[in-house]
């Protein structure tokens, strides 16, 4: 599937930036859990932080295919950075653009400029006690996974009560929101994930996105787009891992020859390449449907389902190609392996994905 | 499933499970974080008699049965594969002494290994000699009453905490694999030092370090068995020890599966057929792995001559299902599975090593294939 000139140009630019700038500190940031704020600012200058924001709100709206290509290229080098970009664009800015009121949308220009970085509280790990008042929701509890938590920006939180789901924008004006960096997550160490604690937090009804009870629909809309985005990160991770595995297998000599000569090593690479080509086609196909405003949901779900597995299998085998060296933090494949775990489970559960695929298939 | 274990084996299984839950469970997360191995853990295990199972009765052990080792390794790994590695490597290191050392060497070391006073390690791998074992560059030159060792070993488990290191070095480079000899090197011998400590994805509590030999003088009494036999000893030792690695994989799989089952029960997911399918597959694979390990262990313990194939079977399949199951468990638990507090992310990180050490799974497949070809009287080329 050929990309058009415009996208190829963007891809080249992002690829160059990823390999020349992001790559430089990727291991250091992973090791020390450092949020790559300078790189994010540079990506903002390139327009990437406004990828889901229309120009009227200060963004530079990209088509979905372009955004996926960006996530793929960044994910090949630094999956954490790709996760930050995905969260900001797809999990925060996108629902604001679609469902926010004019007041809520005021922040969009700052988001596009990278002055504010949007976050998202993973819904499945919410552990909240909620009581609804007339003007406020009072919530206590915590969530161990707040994406882009360290950036201290506003984030989206889903609150479920009495069979209704509502999406809220939690911003800095709301007291009692505490973020703790805990380093308790297997991967995406540079992705700025924190725990968030709500200490008798009062969230004004005005902070709700959309109408009362519209949260379920908003959640679905976000998830469908996110399935596409996470697939692109899965793809990037898979390609990054494969690239390294190939390079290593050509250099490493055992039994007097490069290990790339051994059929069992070649077979691992063959599996990688095959899965990568298949998921890339699926992702690009779904993204094109999205851009043509056609039904992309099933295709995005399938892309996610397949790429979740592919990323897990490919990163596991990439370590295998490196042998004992792959198990050490001195080599990049162990990082891809850990990051893949995060990328393959956030936002949609595997049960959700199965339901989505089967309900649209039968 | 019922495996018709003997009363002693059942008692061993229960005992190791209890000890692992009592002394390892409370500290496993801390150990993983700190990436340190406290010798006290092995000391506690020794006090309970768990190190005796690797040693023959005449030297104060309980019989050195692979079955016992498999049972014990599974139970320790069910709680922590890092500790299980340190434990199993103790057996990997003492194995060659049991089978190939001189009577004096056996008397000198084995009773103390059985009591836990001495812990063993096994130093084979080098930067350029991983799968290609015969390519080792470390040399041992005989000068008077000593062998002078020079070279660097890497990725050696139990380094620094072990007292006795079985080390492979070349005494005659012109003879390749037939020129490799095994030595018993003690911690503190002059010219023997530890190098780089590895920072690993998993089994972080198990230490992995370089051994550096610079004109290290090893008394000639410490040559194990005969010169030039080191490679053969190594292969035979692996042919006995590999079910232990399989058992570590099995223990990891068992631990992860139990976590998944509990998670699914607590969240009312057990009625869901997607979940049922996963759990059923996991349980089936675990029993298949256990049956394979037990069958291999019994075959080896019965004294069959060629143990290569059963030993490789018992390493290959359980380690592959450990990887598969831990990956499935992450999928089943979703984002919760990513969090340290659920421990399955540790099991996933730990599982990966079982496909790599003591011969990668590609090497196992190659060995199995060779045995099959030989058995049928065919030729490779
Ligand atoms: C945590 C850890 C602990 C360890 N502990 C010890 C220890 O206590 N003592 C010790 O001596 N060693 C130890 N090792 C070393 C371990 O046994 C080796 O890492 C392993 O044998 C693989 O060697 P390698 O790392 O050099 O990989 P390589 O041999 O370079 O293998 C790289 C890839 O090539 C494949 N390959 C190589 N040759 C072939 C072939 N002929 N056909 C098909 N595929 C092939 C491998 O399967 C692998 O996928 C340890 C390693 C680790 C990571």
């Amino acid at each position: 599937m050929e990309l058009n000139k415009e996208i190829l140009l963007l891809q080249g630019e992002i690829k160059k930036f990823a390999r020349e700038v992001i790559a430089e500190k990727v291991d250091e940031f992973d090791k020390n859990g450092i949020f790559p704020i300078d790189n994010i600012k540079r990506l903002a200058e390139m327009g990437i932080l406004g990828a889901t924001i229309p120009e009227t709100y200060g963004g530079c709206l990209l088509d979905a295919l372009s955004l996926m290509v960006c996530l793929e290229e960044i994910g090949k080098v630094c999956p954490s950075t790709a996760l930050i970009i995905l969260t900001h664009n797809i999990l925060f800015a996108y629902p604001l653009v679609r469902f926010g009121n004019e007041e809520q949308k005021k922040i969009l220009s700052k988001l596009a400029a990278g002055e504010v970085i949007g976050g998202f509280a993973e819904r499945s790990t919410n552990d909240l006690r909620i009581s609804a008042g007339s003007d406020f929701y009072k919530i206590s509890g915590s969530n161990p996974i707040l994406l882009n938590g360290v950036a201290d920006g506003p984030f989206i939180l889903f609150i479920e009560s009495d069979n209704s789901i509502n999406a809220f924008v939690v911003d800095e004006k709301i007291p009692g929101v505490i973020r703790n960096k805990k380093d308790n997550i297997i991967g995406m160490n540079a992705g700025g994930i924190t725990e968030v604690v709500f200490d008798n937090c009062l969230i004004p009804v005005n902070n709700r996105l959309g109408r009362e009870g519209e949260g379920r629909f908003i959640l679905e809309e976000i998830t469908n787009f996110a399935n596409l985005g996470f697939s692109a990160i899965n793809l990037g991770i898979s390609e990054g891992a494969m690239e390294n595995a190939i390079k290593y297998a050509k250099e490493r000599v055992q039994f007097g020859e490069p290990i790339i000569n051994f059929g069992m090593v070649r077979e691992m690479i063959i599996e990688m390449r095959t899965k990568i080509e298949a998921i890339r086609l699926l992702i690009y196909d779904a993204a094109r449907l999205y851009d043509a405003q056609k039904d992309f949901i099933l295709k995005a779900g399938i892309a996610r389902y397949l790429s979740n597995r592919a990323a897990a299998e490919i990163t596991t085998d990439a370590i295998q190609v490196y042998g004992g060296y792959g198990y050490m933090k001195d080599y990049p494949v162990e990082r891809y392996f850990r990051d893949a775990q995060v990328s393959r489970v956030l936002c949609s559960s595997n049960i959700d994905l199965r339901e989505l695929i089967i309900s649209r298939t039968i | 499933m019922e495996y018709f274990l003997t009363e002693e084996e059942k008692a061993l299984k229960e005992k190791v499970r209890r000890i692992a839950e009592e002394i390892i469970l409370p500290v496993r997360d801390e150990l993983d974080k700190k990436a340190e191995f406290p010798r006290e853990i092995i000391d506690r295990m020794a006090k309970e008699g768990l190190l005796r199972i690797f040693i023959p009765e005449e030297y104060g052990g309980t019989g050195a049965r692979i079955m016992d080792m498999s049972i014990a390794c599974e139970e320790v790994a069910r709680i922590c594969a890092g500790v299980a590695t340190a434990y199993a490597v103790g057996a990997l290191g003492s194995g060659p002494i049991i089978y190939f050392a001189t009577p004096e060497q056996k008397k000198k070391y084995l009773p103390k290994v059985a009591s836990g006073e001495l812990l063993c390690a096994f130093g084979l791998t080098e930067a350029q000699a991983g799968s290609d074992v015969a390519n080792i560059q470390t040399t041992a030159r005989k000068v008077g009453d000593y062998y002078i060792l020079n070279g660097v070993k890497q990725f050696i488990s139990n380094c620094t905490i072990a007292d006795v290191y079985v080390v492979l070095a070349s005494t005659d480079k012109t003879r390749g694999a037939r020129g490799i000899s095994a030595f018993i090197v003690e911690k503190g011998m002059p010219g023997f030092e530890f190098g780089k400590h590895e920072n690993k994805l998993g089994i972080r509590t198990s230490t992995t370090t370089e051994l550096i030999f610079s004109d290290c003088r090893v008394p000639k009494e410490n040559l194990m068995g005969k010169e030039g036999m080191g490679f053969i000893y190594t292969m035979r030792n692996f042919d006995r020890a590999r079910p232990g690695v399989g058992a570590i994989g099995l223990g990891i799989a068992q631990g992860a599966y139990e976590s998944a089952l509990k998670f699914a029960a607590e969240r009312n997911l057990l009625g869901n057929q997607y979940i049922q399918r996963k759990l059923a597959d996991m349980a089936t694979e675990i029993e298949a792995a256990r049956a394979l390990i037990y069958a291999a262990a019994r075959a080896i313990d019965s004294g069959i001559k060629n143990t290569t194939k059963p030993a490789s079977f018992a390493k290959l399949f359980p380690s592959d299902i450990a990887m598969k199951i831990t990956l499935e468990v992450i999928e089943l638990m979703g984002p919760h599975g990513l969090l340290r507090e659920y421990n399955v992310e540790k099991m996933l990180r730990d599982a990966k090593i079982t496909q790599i050490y003591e011969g990668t799974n590609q090497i196992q497949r190659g060995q199995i294939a060779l045995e099959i070809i030989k058995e049928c009287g065919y030729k490779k080329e």
Side-chain angles (χ1 to χ4, degrees):
Chain A
M1 229 185 265
E2 292 289 304
L3 297 172
N4 68 33
K5 258 209 197 112
E6 220 175 305
I7 299 183
L8 282 174
L9 220 62
L10 177 68
Q11 183 182 39
E13 190 191 354
I14 297 295
K15 186 175 188 145
K16 188 161 180 282
F17 181 72
R19 294 188 184 234
E20 287 175 6
V21 181
I22 298 179
E24 202 187 328
K25 292 196 171 152
V26 64
D27 289 319
E28 184 194 324
F29 286 180
D30 172 72
K31 206 165 279 165
N32 303 316
I34 296 170
F35 192 75
I37 189 66
D38 291 341
N39 292 339
I40 298 297
K41 295 262 174 245
R42 302 255 320 250
L43 285 163
E45 284 162 21
M46 297 161 88
I48 304 302
L49 271 74
T52 54
I53 302 171
E55 269 146 43
T56 44
Y57 294 104
C60 41
L61 188 66
L62 291 177
D63 51 49
L65 184 56
S66 298
L67 179 54
M68 295 312 127
V69 167
C70 291
L71 290 173
E72 178 188 344
E73 287 304 330
I74 297 168
K76 277 188 211 173
V77 174
C78 178
S80 285
T81 303
L83 177 63
I84 295 164
I85 298 297
L86 182 156
T87 302
H88 174 89
N89 273 306
I90 298 180
L91 303 179
F92 189 80
Y94 165 74
L96 223 64
V97 169
R98 280 212 37 206
F99 302 101
N101 56 38
E102 287 311 313
E103 185 59 30
Q104 290 166 332
K105 283 184 180 166
K106 276 188 182 153
I107 201 176
L108 288 174
S109 60
K110 285 190 178 156
L111 288 170
E115 287 163 35
V116 171
I117 293 169
F120 186 83
E122 164 68 32
R123 193 181 66 102
S124 66
T125 48
N126 268 338
D127 183 9
L128 305 175
R129 289 174 304 284
I130 300 146
S131 49
S134 52
D135 299 339
F136 289 94
Y137 279 83
K138 188 168 153 192
I139 59 171
S140 291
S142 64
N143 184 330
I145 303 182
L146 174 60
L147 302 174
N148 283 353
V150 290
D152 266 333
F155 62 91
I156 286 184
L157 174 73
F158 284 91
I159 299 183
E160 298 168 48
S161 58
D162 307 327
N163 275 330
S164 91
I165 301 182
N166 284 296
F168 285 86
V169 178
V170 181
D171 55 30
E172 75 289 348
K173 288 182 222 106
I174 299 172
V177 181
I178 304 135
R179 301 159 196 241
N180 302 312
K181 195 153 184 308
K182 292 185 87 178
D183 299 323
N184 61 340
I185 294 171
I186 186 171
M188 300 286 194
N189 287 354
I193 302 175
T194 64
E195 174 194 56
V196 57
V197 178
F198 301 96
D199 179 14
N200 286 310
C201 209
L202 294 176
I203 302 185
V205 169
N206 284 341
N207 282 39
R208 191 180 59 219
L209 269 186
R211 295 183 310 275
E212 160 65 33
E214 204 180 3
R216 189 178 301 277
F217 178 66
I218 296 174
L219 178 65
E220 273 170 23
E221 293 293 289
I222 295 178
T223 306
N224 290 330
F225 197 4
N227 280 341
L228 201 48
F230 280 108
S231 299
I233 298 184
N234 284 336
L235 172 62
I237 290 174
S238 301
E239 293 181 275
M242 178 176 77
E243 227 175 77
N244 279 287
I246 293 172
K247 189 164 151 266
Y248 185 80
K250 286 177 167 174
E251 287 165 6
R252 173 68 171 168
V253 173
Q254 285 288 274
F255 302 96
E257 50 188 317
I259 59 168
I260 192 71
N261 290 358
F262 298 127
M264 284 187 240
V265 173
R266 295 169 97 85
E267 205 172 39
M268 288 191 271
I269 311 264
I270 293 164
E271 285 286 317
M272 293 179 192
R273 184 68 199 264
T274 307
K275 288 168 191 161
I276 284 169
E277 292 300 326
I279 60 180
R280 192 190 292 109
L281 284 178
L282 272 168
I283 294 167
Y284 288 8
D285 185 29
R288 287 199 165 107
L289 288 171
Y290 182 102
D291 290 329
Q293 298 185 335
K294 293 195 179 134
D295 187 354
F296 76 103
I297 295 171
L298 174 63
K299 287 277 172 67
I302 292 173
R304 180 92 201 263
Y305 186 71
L306 207 64
S307 68
N308 283 344
R309 291 238 177 106
E313 290 162 0
I314 289 170
T315 54
T316 301
D317 277 352
I319 295 181
Q320 193 68 21
V321 169
Y322 273 75
Y325 293 89
Y327 206 60
M328 308 304 168
K329 291 189 181 280
D330 309 333
Y331 295 87
V333 282
E334 78 90 37
R335 174 170 53 81
Y336 285 111
F337 173 79
R338 287 184 292 102
D339 289 349
Q341 309 311 323
V342 182
S343 160
R344 77 192 178 101
V345 299
L346 288 180
C347 272
S348 320
S349 84
N350 82 82
I351 296 178
D352 296 340
L353 280 171
R354 283 171 168 81
E355 288 300 348
L356 181 132
I357 294 169
I358 194 66
S359 65
R360 285 166 184 265
T361 298
I362 57 178
Chain B
M1 282 220 310
E2 176 57 59
Y3 289 104
F4 303 99
L5 300 184
T6 64
E7 288 309 314
E8 289 81 14
E9 287 162 352
K10 279 186 198 154
L12 176 69
K13 191 172 169 75
E14 269 167 41
K15 180 172 167 184
V16 181
R17 175 167 291 216
R18 174 180 57 76
I19 294 166
E21 289 180 352
E22 261 174 39
I23 71 171
I24 304 169
L25 185 62
V27 292
R28 70 171 166 190
D29 185 44
E30 192 68 25
L31 294 179
D32 179 69
K33 261 191 225 152
K34 284 202 191 141
E36 286 170 5
F37 191 82
R39 178 67 188 257
E40 302 90 76
I41 290 204
I42 285 288
D43 293 344
R44 286 281 302 274
M45 291 166 79
K47 225 167 96 194
E48 302 272 2
L50 296 191
L51 283 115
R52 294 195 188 282
I53 67 166
F54 301 144
I55 305 297
E57 277 162 29
E58 53 207 296
Y59 299 105
T62 62
R65 276 182 297 270
I66 301 304
M67 189 65 188
D68 289 347
M69 173 174 83
S70 305
I71 290 170
C73 285
E74 179 192 337
E75 288 302 329
V76 177
R78 177 178 160 267
I79 301 301
C80 176
V83 176
T85 295
Y87 178 61
V89 166
L92 182 70
S94 55
I97 305 180
I98 297 172
Y99 299 102
F100 311 114
T102 63
E104 293 74 38
Q105 289 167 342
K106 290 185 194 184
K107 258 183 252 143
K108 180 170 175 198
Y109 294 107
L110 294 180
K112 289 185 178 166
V113 174
S115 68
E117 206 176 315
L118 293 179
L119 182 66
C120 296
F122 187 71
L124 168 66
T125 303
E126 297 177 7
Q128 301 310 322
S131 298
D132 187 4
V133 173
N135 193 36
I136 59 171
Q137 304 297 318
T138 298
T139 55
R141 196 164 35 94
K142 193 159 180 211
V143 179
D145 289 343
Y146 291 91
Y147 284 91
I148 312 293
L149 267 61
N150 276 294
V152 180
K153 298 283 169 185
Q154 73 171 16
F155 300 164
I156 308 306
S157 306
N158 278 2
C159 264
T160 68
I161 58 161
D163 310 285
V164 177
Y165 297 76
V166 172
V167 173
L168 281 295
S170 174
T171 40
D172 185 353
K173 282 236 166 170
T174 60
R175 303 195 64 213
R178 303 264 157 197
I180 294 173
S181 305
F183 296 89
I184 305 173
V185 183
E186 293 178 27
K187 189 169 166 173
M189 280 184 171
F192 172 30
E193 278 167 20
F194 303 118
K196 185 183 176 208
H197 281 273
E198 301 292 347
N199 187 3
K200 309 190 293 293
L201 169 65
I203 58 162
R204 293 175 56 77
T205 187
S206 166
T207 53
T208 316
T209 309
E210 273 175 352
L211 304 182
I212 302 173
F213 300 98
S214 352
D215 287 332
C216 171
R217 283 152 61 96
V218 177
K220 71 176 196 301
E221 303 84 65
N222 285 35
L223 168 74
M224 187 184 294
K226 289 199 210 111
E227 254 192 39
M229 288 296 285
F231 182 77
I232 309 247
Y233 296 161
T234 299
M235 290 303 144
R236 289 221 206 122
N237 190 38
F238 278 147
D239 281 353
R240 300 182 55 84
R242 277 176 179 146
V245 176
I248 292 176
L250 172 61
I252 297 169
Q254 175 71 34
Y257 157 78
E258 286 175 25
S259 302
L261 185 58
K262 181 160 168 271
F263 181 86
E266 283 168 0
R267 275 153 211 272
N268 275 325
L269 296 171
L270 293 177
N272 184 306
Q273 284 210 352
Y274 303 136
I275 302 290
Q276 290 181 358
R277 200 275 304 153
K278 271 192 207 295
L279 291 170
D281 281 357
M282 288 181 206
T284 308
E285 285 159 356
I286 285 171
E287 293 301 349
R290 192 174 286 126
L292 186 55
I293 290 170
Y294 286 176
R298 293 240 193 262
I300 296 169
D301 289 338
S302 76
I304 60 161
K305 244 177 104 190
N306 185 350
T307 60
T308 300
K309 201 172 65 170
S312 287
F313 281 158
K315 195 253 167 183
L316 173 64
F317 182 74
S319 58
D320 276 355
I321 66 125
M323 198 67 233
K324 180 165 175 244
I325 288 175
T326 50
L327 283 169
E328 277 275 332
V329 168
I330 298 286
E331 191 188 298
L332 188 153
M333 289 174 55
H336 295 94
L338 305 174
L339 304 169
R340 231 171 209 292
E341 31 288 37
Y342 288 85
N343 271 298
V344 294
E345 64 88 30
K346 173 182 182 297
M347 295 173 191
L348 173 76
R349 289 185 284 111
D350 289 352
K352 185 63 217 162
I353 193 59
T354 62
Q355 296 182 310
I356 299 170
Y357 62 11
E358 283 195 36
T360 67
N361 281 7
Q362 286 69 39
I363 294 301
Q364 305 308 317
R365 290 187 173 92
Q367 292 212 332
I368 292 167
L370 267 186
E371 292 295 317
I372 298 169
I373 296 165
K374 261 198 304 193
E375 273 168 26
C376 301
Y378 294 131
K379 291 224 165 60
K380 215 166 68 160
E381 261 115 32

